[in-house]
Amino acid sequence: MRELIDKLFRGALNHRKVVLVFVAIFLVASALCIPAVKINYQFADYLPESSPSTQALRTLESAFDAPVPNSRVYVEGISLVQAKELSDQFEQIDGVKEVLWLGNIVDTSVPLATYDTDMVSAWKADDGYLYQIALDTSKAVSAMDELRISAEATGASEVALAGEAINTAVAQGSSDFEIQLILVMAVIVILGLLLLTSEAWFEPVLFLAVIGISIVFNLGTNIIFGEISFITQMCAAILQLAVSMDYGIVMLHAYRGFKDEGLSSFEAAVSAMHKAASVIASSAATTFFGFLSLCVMSFLIGADMGVVLAKGIVFSFLSVLFILPILVLASEKILNKTAHRKFLPSFDVFAKWCMRIAVPFTIITALIMVPAYLAQKQPNFVYGASGFVEPGSQLYEETATIDAKFGAAEQWVVLVPAGSWGNEKAFASALENLPGISSVTSYASSVSERIPTDFVPEESLSQLISGGYSRLIISTNVEGESDETFALVQQVRDLADEYYPGQAHLVGSSVTSYDMSLVVNDDSFKVQLASILAIGIVLLFMFRSLSIPLMLLIAIESSIWVNVAIPYFMGTEIQYIGYLIISAIMLGATVDYTIILSKSYLDHRKHLNKKPAMLAAISESAITILTSATILTLCGMFIGLISSNGVIAGLGTLIGRGAFIAALNTFLFLPIMFMIFDKVVEKTTWKAHFYHNKHGDSGKSLRLASDEE
């Protein structure tokens, strides 16, 4: 097998021009495919087909052309005549399927003072008017802009837009620019870090070029899926960049080592490919299976993200393994000309300080572990598109403006079999009596169950009856994803089953969020179990040990608990999708830190006692772990600070903070576990060959140990 791999490596290096031509062709093809990959911003599309919301949406789409109103527009400082003209203008905008305003409820030619005050105030506040609009989400970005332009053209003093479709449109419109900005910031930081850790000014260029190529490969090949979720689109490139950057560091470090031993450039590259292949493969395997564990989610956004991220790791691994050595050989003269002295000093002092702080840190970690585990299951979760709205953003302020004037309002639709008008009227009446429902519009209540459908104009009839279903429009006054809202969803469904057993369908944004909460709550345990088992098995074969995988998983899992518990103690909301994804991402991305330290410790433990071995391991592995952790921490922070999408910003914050906590646990918590369970590790690890010398050790590690004592 080794001979076959050796032939493969030598063949790639001997025919490097052919390999580079193939890479160039594939790179161009991938780059051309990226714009053709459709981005899906609808959470509802990722609910399983068995979900009641999914079935209801399918039924609504097949039976009715008019969707549920999903946007609200408030225009202040206009007259009633202008409000009517604006309604007509809104209806002409491409992407607007339906517009409801005060003129659809009352005859505006009659003085408004003659109508019920509550009815008018639901659509008019001071000198402003509210419009309920059904937007085609595929055209929401351009439609949103035209709605605002049309409203501002009237000379309005204030224009505010809100609603699920507006949330989605804002996320859509800002995502491309934000991705580019995040990547630019990340590249600048990574470039700075690599310059500090490199031995030639040109090295960072090679690293970024190779990982950049693999990112383009990954994004372009997403075309095989047709579309990907907006979460995947926002996070895939930056996570791939942050997680796999250390692959190149390992490869180039191995190449330098063999060059220093006197090997020719070609032989050093071949030897580096052999050595780095096993190291990078073990690291990539844990990340790969960590990401892939997301596929067990019933909520299909997990599979969407898991497959794309795992595919990215494969491209990064292959690119570093084959393309980087070729580029190193091709640019050897430039590397030699740009060589410089090492900027970073020895990390011996860092190792000593870690060991001094480790004991109190471990005690604190042990004390907070159980509370953190319990708290991380209790945060205030956000499930649907309301999580897109980032506090402080224009969208957040405009949503608050509309809610302040008209209250939190949302429209739902109940589809029931048409024809039983008496039953429908009784059902509508029962719905109106539920707390949280302000009004119900149906054929039986709006037209009359006594008037045959043949006598009703087709234009009016099609809005209420179509495809064998009668459409009841429910106006609610409950908060988007509150406990009260979710309770109301279940009450409406229970009432519908009472009047139409197994025949009614409920549609609405909060209804989808409610079903999402049921699905993802079931997913939580599955994702955690799958990621732990998958990575645990990889670690088991990697270390050939029963105890080490358990210790590494405890170190990373405890950092995940602390990370996710922080929003609970701070009283802030957390997007549940981020909560689910972060456990798999952190396990896959940060377990590398523990692997690097553990391998170094086991190597040194063969000729040193446990404390000097750990000091040497921390000193030796610090630069790699700190570089990787700093990159992931800062990239996560950039996502959190730059993204205007609350879901993405929250996920970025979790990733950045999680990488920092995982690095702390690696340097301060894991060493103490190795110290305490040294004998257990030796007895449960195949061919551990631990060194035992009660009189101490010599060399560098002895000096470190003596300083400690």
Side-chain angles (χ1 to χ4, degrees), residues 33 40-41 104 125 246 250 288 454 465 570 580 591 700 707:
C33 288
N40 192 327
Y41 290 82
N104 298 106
D246 57 337
V250 171
F288 176 85
D454 293 342
I465 302 175
M570 292 179 64
L580 281 180
V591 75
K700 167 186 168 183
D707 287 342

Side-chain angles (χ1 to χ4, degrees), residues 86-274:
L86 189 58
S87 172
D88 295 336
Q89 291 176 30
F90 283 167
E91 289 179 344
Q92 302 305 313
I93 294 174
D94 185 30
V96 173
K97 290 194 170 184
E98 188 176 62
V99 178
L100 297 175
W101 75 293
L102 184 62
N104 298 106
I105 308 302
V106 302
D107 184 355
T108 54
S109 63
V110 177
L112 298 181
T114 61
Y115 292 104
D116 179 70
T117 304
D118 290 338
M119 180 172 63
V120 174
S121 63
W123 298 90
K124 183 179 186 297
D126 301 324
D127 59 344
Y129 295 86
L130 180 70
Y131 300 85
Q132 296 271 10
I133 299 175
L135 283 181
D136 180 348
T137 53
S138 66
K139 302 176 180 178
V141 175
S142 58
M144 176 187 68
D145 292 338
E146 291 188 48
L147 286 170
R148 188 180 297 277
I149 291 170
S150 298
E152 291 176 346
T154 63
S157 58
E158 183 176 10
V159 177
L161 285 76
E164 181 186 19
I166 301 299
N167 296 347
T168 302
V170 169
Q172 243 176 302
S174 61
S175 62
D176 288 342
F177 170 75
E178 289 175 354
I179 290 173
Q180 294 169 10
L181 182 58
I182 291 168
L183 281 173
V184 168
M185 295 293 290
V187 167
I188 292 173
V189 170
I190 291 171
L191 191 60
L193 287 171
L194 292 178
L195 285 173
L196 285 175
T197 59
S198 67
E199 295 184 15
W201 298 113
F202 193 67
E203 281 182 15
V205 177
L206 293 181
F207 291 148
L208 291 172
V210 170
I211 299 302
I213 289 170
S214 66
I215 289 173
V216 174
F217 287 167
N218 189 37
L219 296 180
T221 53
N222 286 334
I223 198 169
I224 63 177
F225 306 125
E227 68 177 26
I228 59 174
S229 75
F230 73 97
I231 294 180
T232 304
Q233 167 75 358
M234 284 289 287
C235 295
I238 194 71
L239 283 179
Q240 186 180 348
L241 178 67
V243 169
S244 57
M245 185 57 67
D246 57 337
Y247 299 173
I249 297 174
V250 171
M251 174 66 78
L252 204 54
H253 180 74
Y255 172 77
R256 283 200 220 103
F258 288 115
K259 281 282 288 182
D260 292 341
E261 291 177 8
L263 294 181
S264 66
S265 298
F266 185 89
E267 290 300 326
V270 173
S271 299
M273 292 170 79
H274 279 287

Side-chain angles (χ1 to χ4, degrees), residues 361 365 554-556 558-559 661-671:
F361 181 87
T365 300
I554 289 173
I556 298 302
S558 61
S559 66
I661 297 172
L664 285 179
N665 272 11
T666 300
F667 285 125
L668 303 177
F669 180 40
L670 185 60

